[in-house]
Amino acid sequence: MQWIGDALTDVESAVNKEVRRRRPTSPVDRETQLEMLTPPVIQNGDPDEAEAFARELLAHAEAKRAGR
């Protein structure tokens, strides 16, 4: 059963890399991207990554407020 867990971890890692690689083409795409990135950022416990992600969220909120 360990191989199933390893395979799922590989899939999760590949999805995370793909989500980070793609550039959103609309505000909805950006929201979806942020929603997908939230759990891994929180779970890994890296304070630098959490801070960078918080900045991304703030930039998204500011763009939304400005109607972009």
Side-chain angles (χ1 to χ4, degrees):
M1 292 305 255
Q2 180 65 37
W3 63 271
I4 293 174
D6 292 343
L8 291 173
T9 298
D10 291 344
V11 169
E12 182 182 29
S13 295
V15 167
N16 192 27
K17 285 178 186 174
E18 181 66 15
V19 167
R20 288 185 180 282
R21 182 190 70 76
R22 291 188 181 202
R23 293 295 153 237
T25 58
S26 71
V28 172
D29 284 352
R30 182 66 176 145
E31 286 179 12
T32 300
Q33 182 186 45
L34 291 170
E35 289 170 1
M36 292 178 76
L37 291 174
T38 301
V41 169
I42 292 170
Q43 290 168 359
N44 76 16
D46 180 345
D48 293 332
E49 188 175 356
E51 183 179 348
F53 188 70
R55 286 191 179 106
E56 289 182 56
L57 286 173
L58 181 57
H60 175 69
E62 289 171 350
K64 200 168 188 176
R65 187 174 292 124
R68 294 178 271 141

